[in-house]
Amino acid sequence: MAMRGEFSSRIGFILAAAGSAVGLGNIWGFPTQVATNGGAAFVIVYLLLAFVLAYPVLMAELIIGRSNRANMVDALTNISGNVSGTLTGLWGCVTVSMILAFYGIVGGWMLAYFADGIVQTAGLEETSVWLMGFSDSRNMIFCGLFMLLTASIVLGGVKSGIEKWSVRLMPTLVVIILALIVYVSFQPGAVEGWAAYLLPDFSRILDPDLLISAMGQAFFSMSLGVGTMLVYGSYLSKQENLPSIGAWVALVDIGVAIIAGMLIIPAMYVALNNGVEIFTETGALMDGDQLIFNVLPALFESIGPVGVLVSVAFFALMVIASVTSSISMLEVPVAYLVENRKQPRSRAVWIMAALIFAASCIIILNFESLFGLVIAATTQYSQPLLGFALCLFAGWVWRRDAILAELKEGFADAEHSLFWKIWPWYVKFVCPVVILLMFVRSVL
């Protein structure tokens, strides 16, 4: 117990946990979902479902983690007392490692685009062409650099690595977003983007597709189901009020997603005003890699010399969003190797970083067949099922008196709180059903 790391401050934990949740999905997925699903009507549904669905599961992970003071495998084994916990924990470690394998590739792309802005400023055209090309060598080199960056932070442990850099990177991320919002908002076409983002279409609010999209975004945007929040919770002080600190993590994550929309959607309509195509053949706004690697670079190119500086700032933002998530993912298997397999942290970090980078290289060399398959297998299938399993552990396997005792550590009046009156039965009955419905609807 004494050898385990611990976050030194409340704000350090909140920024680290929110950094884990704030990933590329918040930047490139949430804004376009809002604009194509009823504007502010989607935001209202998303906010509701974030606290109705995602917050209870987040609390399950935090409570399990802090109570057991252990990695995902050992924590779930302690709760179950049998091999079901061990297997679920190992399943989580494998899933999060495979998510990081493809996430590292995308993070490498962000680094390459960030480097391109600097290279263009220096007038190195041939290097710029290579950076913008989709070659195996470029993808491997920048994926390797991204994994080195991630590993170097995790190497420092909880306080000197994860917390130290989260406290620096998360405020920087917010400052860059706000600065870019101000710049973009004064460009021609931005007003139409603000209207598409903020004006609600309440006729869509009960649309089943909107509800499913909002549920998926709320669940996945908080990095739930794969043990990142469980492991971070295990490093949290016993003096902290868990329901309160969990609410802060959710609010910061939601807040970053919303302000990201204030940047991305107006920027897309500025691009449209400058002659850049922003709609797909079906009439939906482009999202994902098309948005980040086609629409926005075309926008930066269309606004003249200042576009290079805007591009550097934007891709710096994307690199930060990638890294704050990747360090939490790498920490999950590293914590297992350190605590269960008794490996020194440095060896555990480099073993896992090397294994995950090797998996990334296999994906790169078989990109067409493996990239989409790995994404679907991990995020569409494995992650929601792991979230379902964690609800079962928290709601059905773990004893209620043990859960209450853990809550009382930092919240003496927990037994009489509104949280305790609702959460135990909610995570037992409602969350598993909703997650299963979401899972079935997404795979059909």
Side-chain angles (χ1 to χ4, degrees):
M1 293 281 283
M3 297 297 291
R4 294 193 92 249
E6 186 173 288
F7 287 102
S8 64
S9 66
R10 181 182 179 89
I11 189 64
F13 171 80
I14 290 171
L15 291 178
S20 170
V22 173
L24 298 177
N26 293 71
I27 310 294
W28 76 18
F30 177 78
T32 47
Q33 285 210 44
V34 173
T36 55
N37 284 289
F42 181 91
V43 176
I44 294 168
V45 175
Y46 168 75
L47 288 172
L48 177 65
L49 292 177
F51 280 95
V52 167
L53 174 64
Y55 174 70
V57 182
L58 169 64
M59 288 308 305
E61 290 206 33
L62 293 181
I63 296 169
I64 290 171
R66 195 180 73 169
S67 175
N68 289 276
R69 281 286 197 256
N71 60 85
M72 189 177 187
V73 177
D74 291 342
L76 295 181
T77 302
N78 291 342
I79 288 174
S80 66
N82 57 49
V83 73
S84 66
T86 305
L87 292 176
T88 304
L90 290 171
W91 173 21
C93 287
V94 171
T95 298
V96 77
S97 299
M98 292 311 298
I99 290 175
L100 184 52
F102 77 75
Y103 204 86
I105 297 170
V106 180
W109 297 344
M110 300 303 169
L111 276 176
Y113 273 71
F114 171 72
D116 180 63
I118 298 171
V119 163
Q120 284 192 40
T121 305
L124 302 174
E125 291 300 322
E126 288 187 10
T127 306
S128 176
V129 170
W130 179 75
L131 287 170
M132 293 298 94
F134 195 79
S135 64
D136 290 346
S137 60
R138 186 210 68 164
N139 289 341
M140 285 187 185
I141 288 170
F142 279 92
C143 176
L145 290 173
F146 182 81
M147 288 304 302
L148 278 174
L149 178 59
T150 300
S152 65
I153 294 174
V154 176
L155 204 60
V158 179
K159 185 177 177 181
S160 300
I162 296 169
E163 181 177 2
K164 174 183 175 181
W165 283 100
S166 296
V167 168
R168 295 176 178 181
L169 292 173
M170 283 300 291
T172 304
L173 178 145
V174 173
V175 168
I176 293 174
I177 292 179
L178 293 177
L180 289 172
I181 287 172
V182 172
Y183 174 79
V184 167
S185 294
F186 285 97
Q187 303 304 306
V191 172
E192 289 80 1
W194 278 99
Y197 185 62
L198 294 179
L199 293 180
D201 178 5
F202 288 116
S203 66
R204 300 282 308 282
I205 207 160
L206 295 178
D207 183 337
D209 288 334
L210 182 150
L211 292 171
I212 292 296
S213 296
M215 277 194 289
Q217 185 67 36
F219 187 79
F220 296 121
S221 73
M222 285 194 203
S223 192
L224 300 175
V226 291
T228 54
M229 293 303 180
L230 188 156
V231 171
Y232 274 13
S234 76
Y235 301 135
L236 187 59
S237 167
K238 289 283 188 179
Q239 278 67 55
E240 294 293 350
N241 181 322
L242 282 177
S244 170
I245 206 167
W248 274 109
V249 171
L251 285 171
V252 173
D253 176 59
I254 291 166
V256 171
I258 289 174
I259 65 170
M262 296 176 183
L263 166 63
I264 297 297
I265 300 305
M268 292 183 76
Y269 278 82
V270 171
L272 180 65
N273 183 78
N274 292 355
V276 179
E277 183 56 59
I278 68 171
F279 294 101
T280 65
E281 293 179 359
T282 61
L285 282 171
M286 291 183 182
D287 63 0
D289 57 347
Q290 285 184 305
L291 164 65
I292 299 301
F293 301 120
N294 295 333
V295 174
L296 294 181
L299 166 63
F300 302 145
E301 190 174 337
S302 72
I303 57 180
V306 73
V308 175
L309 296 178
V310 176
S311 174
V312 169
F314 177 77
F315 283 106
L317 158 69
M318 298 304 288
V319 169
I320 291 171
S322 305
V323 169
T324 55
S325 294
S326 66
I327 58 178
S328 69
M329 289 188 245
L330 182 58
E331 181 64 18
V332 175
V334 165
Y336 168 69
L337 288 185
V338 170
E339 296 167 9
N340 188 285
R341 312 310 298 176
K342 309 305 179 186
Q343 296 294 315
R345 172 167 280 269
S346 59
R347 184 185 300 168
V349 168
W350 292 122
I351 286 173
M352 287 313 307
L355 288 173
I356 292 169
F357 176 62
S360 299
C361 290
I362 293 171
I363 295 172
I364 289 168
L365 294 173
N366 301 274
F367 191 85
E368 292 297 326
S369 58
L370 288 184
F371 188 70
L373 177 64
V374 172
I375 292 176
T378 53
T379 63
Q380 190 176 349
Y381 294 95
S382 189
Q383 192 173 0
L385 290 176
L386 276 165
F388 174 76
L390 285 170
C391 287
L392 295 185
F393 278 100
W396 294 91
V397 178
W398 204 12
R399 299 193 330 271
R400 279 180 57 130
D401 59 339
I403 298 173
L404 181 59
E406 181 58 36
L407 286 172
K408 284 183 173 180
E409 290 280 355
F411 185 18
D413 198 36
E415 190 171 3
H416 303 104
S417 67
L418 181 63
F419 176 83
W420 184 248
K421 291 175 182 177
I422 295 174
W423 182 82
W425 65 263
Y426 197 88
V427 80
K428 186 173 186 176
F429 295 108
V430 178
C431 286
V433 172
V434 174
I435 291 170
L436 273 186
L437 288 174
M438 181 180 73
F439 173 75
V440 171
R441 178 67 175 79
S442 68
V443 299
L444 291 179

